[in-house]
Amino acid sequence: MQLTSFKSINKIAIPAIIAGIVEPILSATDTAIVGNIPENAKEALAAVGLVGIVLSSLIWIFGQTRSVISSVISQYLGAGKIAEIKTMPAQAIALNICISLILSTTTFIFAEPIFRLLFKAEGQTLDYCLQYFNIRIWGYPFSLFLFSIIGVFSGLQNTFWPMIISIIGATLNIVLDIILVYGIDNYIPAMHIEGAAWASLIAQITMGLLALYFLLKKTDISLKISKNIHPEMKRIIGMTLNLIIRAISLNIAIALAGRTASKIGEEFMAAHTIAWNIWLFSAFFIDGYAAAGKIFGGRLYGAKDFNQLNHLVKKLSLYGLIIGVFLMILGGIFYYPIGQIFTQEKEVLLPFYGVFFMVLLVQPLNAVAFILDGVFKGLGEMKFLRNLLLIATFVGFIPSLYLFQYLELKLVGVWIALAVWLLFRCLGMIIYFKKKFSPSTITTF
């Protein structure tokens, strides 16, 4: 089966791109709407950014079963043993739901210490953080549930239904953001930052319910939990734990970047929030091809077709680089209008324009890093991904961050450190893939 053709790759990648950008669209929509509120826009924008960092951290750390489920199902599909895996997803989803409920409750209780101590938020910014977070956190279980089901669809080589769910969720969020934040005269009062939180929560609940409906209607996967633990659950838990450790390392880097920006000043934190949302959007845009790498990579690995696997990686890397360069050029053309979409505050726009060029320059690195991430997840190489990110964070990013802050590069220094972090990841994955999966190094299938 020719899985490396342009048509096959884009049949998976394009719907995955649309589905993947929903989470950053939810955050970016809140950022743009809140950033244009006349009252306390700077503080509200900083609060949305800090809450976004915490929620993204929770989703990325504990949403790793999506990749694991997709990897295992893809490998079984490639090996022609899909019937043997049908009872596994229900057990993995149930585990995810339990974890998400515990985390939502715990972080809700300790929300104030998290933002006060970890991010040094205070005053009006802290109040806004708590208002926004204490509503949005209850969408977290629905997000993890959605991620798990997307993992099932991905493993079955289907990104169409996740795309439909994402389009509906993003559209609903945008409409509700405008209505609930600004209000409608004599009908709905303006709810400010709480309105943005409610809009996101309702959108997340809707997407979770739609995911459940499509899973039951469009697949043969049952959500009935078997009394016997599936044999693959041990491997799934092991792979998930490796990805959780990896994600914790990743989020240490993200949190330190946000904390450093916050310490520099509220206007720098607000500028970092805008830059981060743009980076997140572009990363998830590129991630559509990473999804193709994960889906087809796992299937080709299960089928032991290493020649096609190498062709797949080369093509995906090329496509990703083209997209990365395109996004870089597009951002350069609309350099100033992009910032004005998010806020009109001059004291925020000034540091944003001073750092946005770094966000654009890292786009090619983003492309390679995210695509190879997806391929390695499909191959089940979670232990390697864990070790690589630990090295990238603690050897590459953190020393660079402190060095550039010592040199007083401020927000630009934060983003140079993030570029170093991405470079470590890219080079590590390229070297490891050539060493282990090149046809010339494989002696037996």
Side-chain angles (χ1 to χ4, degrees), residues 152-153 156 158 161 214-222:
V152 175
F153 276 114
L156 296 173
N158 186 327
W161 294 113
F214 286 128
L215 181 72
L216 296 176
K217 292 292 184 180
K218 303 298 180 180
T219 76
D220 295 328
I221 300 294
S222 171

Side-chain angles (χ1 to χ4, degrees), residues 104-118:
S104 295
T105 303
T106 303
T107 52
F108 177 81
I109 294 171
F110 295 102
E112 184 171 348
I114 289 172
F115 291 105
R116 186 186 295 277
L117 299 177
L118 184 61

Side-chain angles (χ1 to χ4, degrees), residues 29 33 168-182 184 199:
T29 301
I33 296 293
I168 294 172
T171 304
L172 179 63
N173 182 73
I174 292 170
V175 172
L176 290 177
D177 249 332
I178 296 170
I179 293 173
L180 298 180
V181 172
Y182 296 119
I184 298 177

Side-chain angles (χ1 to χ4, degrees), residues 12 15-16 19 65-75 77 82 146-163 215 219 287-288 290-299:
I12 291 293
T65 47
R66 172 178 64 172
S67 295
V68 175
I69 291 170
S70 175
S71 173
V72 173
I73 293 178
S74 293
Q75 290 177 21
L77 183 65
I82 193 65
L146 172 65
F147 274 34
S148 299
I149 293 180
I150 288 177
V152 175
F153 276 114
S154 296
L156 296 173
Q157 324 286 278
N158 186 327
T159 55
F160 177 78
W161 294 113
M163 177 189 71
L215 181 72
T219 76
D287 202 41
K294 178 169 59 180
I295 291 168
F296 289 152
R299 185 169 179 179

